[in-house]
Amino acid sequence: MKAAPFTLDAPSDLAGAARTLANGEKLIAGGQSLGPMLNLRLARPPALLALAGLPELRGVQQTAAHVIIGAAVTHAEIADGLAPDIGGGILARIAEGIAYRAVRNRGTIGGSLCHADPAADWVCTLTALGAEALTYRAGGPGRAIALRDFIAGAFRNSLRPDEILQAVRIPRLSPTARWGYYKACRKPGEFAHAMAAVLRDEPAGFCRAVIGATGGPPLIFEAERATPEAIAETLRGDVGGMDGIDRQMQAAAMRRAFAQVSA
């Protein structure tokens, strides 16, 4: 099928995009998720607002405590090391595992988060890493939204109608932090059927574990709940609408993520 007719607006700067947003246009960056939905006519917006070329969404900044990546930076750019890392090559490793190279060349970190697919790599991993979504709005300052609050549900984010995701702010890891990430796919490049991410810093007494691909927002476990045993016990119940096979797959993914942390 082909997309229903729509108009395309390509503003030259972020301020112009924010002003145009008041007309109710749907945002598009790399289009790797929205494009198929348009062609299948699952989405029929009358107008699209193209963001991928805006320079304000393409920047990368570093501070002593954070790495800030513009929303229109592509997965491929992160995988190729063109964006700074938070430690241990983690961001490049995550980006390299997203879909196929052709998708990584076009897909963007911000587009993935805004699309809020529960099985998306960035949704799960950036939640575990404690990242924040930085927004922009015309006529006033934007917000810094913790990823755990930004992902409101399956394919739902917490952006207001007048907001655009401008960047993602990711804390740097301490030298003692350990990271594990595992996802289960039928074949490389497909959507994950189970995924888990674990961030642990034992000297700091910190541990966070996140389960993605749940059919809803990520499941977050912290402190005493962030252990394989406690998570397995939780998964024995009715969690996120998962059936028995889903729960077993998620428990296995979590065990493998924890094994990477302990290796």
Side-chain angles (χ1 to χ4, degrees):
M1 293 183 66
K2 296 298 182 182
F6 61 86
T7 60
L8 178 66
D9 189 7
S12 60
D13 56 35
L14 188 56
R19 289 192 297 269
T20 305
L21 191 61
N23 299 327
E25 294 182 317
K26 189 168 183 62
L27 305 179
I28 185 168
Q32 297 305 290
S33 297
L34 180 57
M37 295 179 67
L38 292 172
N39 283 340
L40 292 171
R41 302 201 174 190
L42 297 174
R44 300 189 184 193
L48 295 179
L49 185 63
L51 300 179
L54 298 183
E56 299 96 330
L57 303 185
R58 298 279 304 149
V60 177
Q61 304 174 47
Q62 300 187 64
T63 69
H66 297 89
V67 169
I68 303 171
I69 300 178
V73 172
T74 67
H75 313 315
E77 288 170 328
I78 299 172
D80 293 345
L82 300 180
D85 197 70
I86 58 172
I90 288 174
L91 298 182
R93 172 186 160 194
I94 295 167
E96 181 64 32
I98 296 174
Y100 304 97
R101 180 71 195 198
V103 172
R104 295 193 292 271
N105 285 342
R106 295 284 300 174
T108 64
I109 186 171
S112 176
L113 294 176
C114 290
H115 188 59
D117 188 329
D121 295 73
W122 291 126
V123 169
C124 177
T125 56
L126 291 178
T127 299
L129 291 168
E132 297 174 299
L134 307 181
T135 72
Y136 178 92
R137 59 188 295 266
R143 297 183 292 161
I145 311 169
L147 252 293
R148 65 193 307 156
D149 301 319
F150 182 81
I151 305 299
F155 304 102
R156 293 189 297 116
N157 64 59
S158 59
L159 284 174
R160 295 168 180 162
D162 63 343
E163 285 182 311
I164 295 173
L165 177 61
Q166 183 172 7
V168 184
R169 182 164 61 196
I170 312 167
R172 292 186 184 276
L173 299 186
S174 76
T176 57
R178 301 297 302 273
W179 170 257
Y181 179 53
Y182 183 86
K183 64 176 179 177
C185 307
R186 295 187 187 276
K187 66 178 183 179
E190 283 196 339
F191 287 105
H193 299 280
M195 60 169 53
V198 179
L199 177 62
R200 176 188 286 169
D201 191 342
E202 292 184 351
F206 171 84
C207 188
R208 181 187 297 118
V210 175
I211 292 177
T214 64
L219 301 178
I220 305 170
F221 303 86
E222 293 180 305
E224 67 276 1
R225 297 179 64 235
T227 66
E229 297 76 18
I231 295 170
E233 181 63 30
T234 299
L235 289 173
R236 292 189 185 101
D238 184 12
V239 180
M242 294 184 285
D243 61 23
I245 294 176
D246 291 334
R247 292 195 294 270
Q248 291 180 38
M249 292 180 64
Q250 295 288 11
M254 182 59 71
R255 287 194 299 270
R256 296 193 181 193
F258 268 103
Q260 295 175 21
V261 168
S262 303

